[in-house]
Amino acid sequence: MPAITVEDTLTLPRIAEPDPASTAARPVLSVTSAPSAFEGEGFPVRRAFAGIDSALLDPFVHMDQMGEVEYAPGEAKGTGWHPHRGFETVTYMIDGTFQHRDSIGGGGLITNGDTQWMTAGSGILHIERPPEELVASGGLFHGIQLWVNLAKAEKMTAPRYQDIGAGNVALLSTADGGALVRLIAGDLAGVAGPGATHSPMTMVHATVSRGAKLVLPWRRDFNALVYVLAGRGSAGESGQPIHSGQLAVFGEGDTIRVDADLTQESRSPDLDVLVLGGRPIREPVFAYGPFVMNTKDEIAQAFEDFHAGRLGTIPTG
Ligand code: MN
């Protein structure tokens, strides 16, 4: 799992272990397995949030783990041009390459640890696909796409595109150096990640060495979700077993804990987790297809605006 790595985690700034006497560990409310599905032109995904009460996910709406898949030559797939309105898409590529273009002139290649942050806001059209070279050669493809809701007051904000190179991600380690913590957005232990978000949130990709533990201070007003990208371990003080493709939802408290099992499969020697939290928006959500709005009428309006070309047009050339 390349993303971004360092030779020696002991050289990184450390996250001090929160004092258990004055902080409350967040309990694990549930552990669920993400069902497999296909997205766009038919690339394999796991629906990370399937079956979870939306109040526990808020401000997040949806998340797909894309792959992990090893494409044969000619097999790699993406999406056609499609619209979005009312939220932000965060695409984090761990292995492989995704190419993006949109109707506001944004776009580029994201690869091996890069993140692309697209605020759809009032409306955008975009296309996401593997570049032709990767389609021709085949190869490893693994990433995440997260949908972050926008509050009613920000749903019609101007669309925006941010490219966050892997080299800009803030790197930290745990007290004993047993985990590499990549901070992609938000604040953690006094360090700020590069992603600029409308809805306050924190996004971390952590690699926890076998037998090591990850304890993160977590804002009380944020929710807390841990999705396992690879490996085996346990979540919370109670040690609920978790493995690749599972989501742990945490309850209230100050800290999140995840432990990596001492024994791991050889194809994934560490426990890799995505840790997410944000301040719940607590507004009605009406999500349908590519739109995330507050009411059914606003969804109908989004379709009308899309068909009238008001969400943008496909660039020529
Ligand atoms: Mn899209």
Side-chain angles (χ1 to χ4, degrees), residues 82 84 89 118 126 128 145:
H82 61 278
H84 290 299
T89 64
M118 187 186 81
H126 78 156
E128 306 150 285
Q145 187 169 94

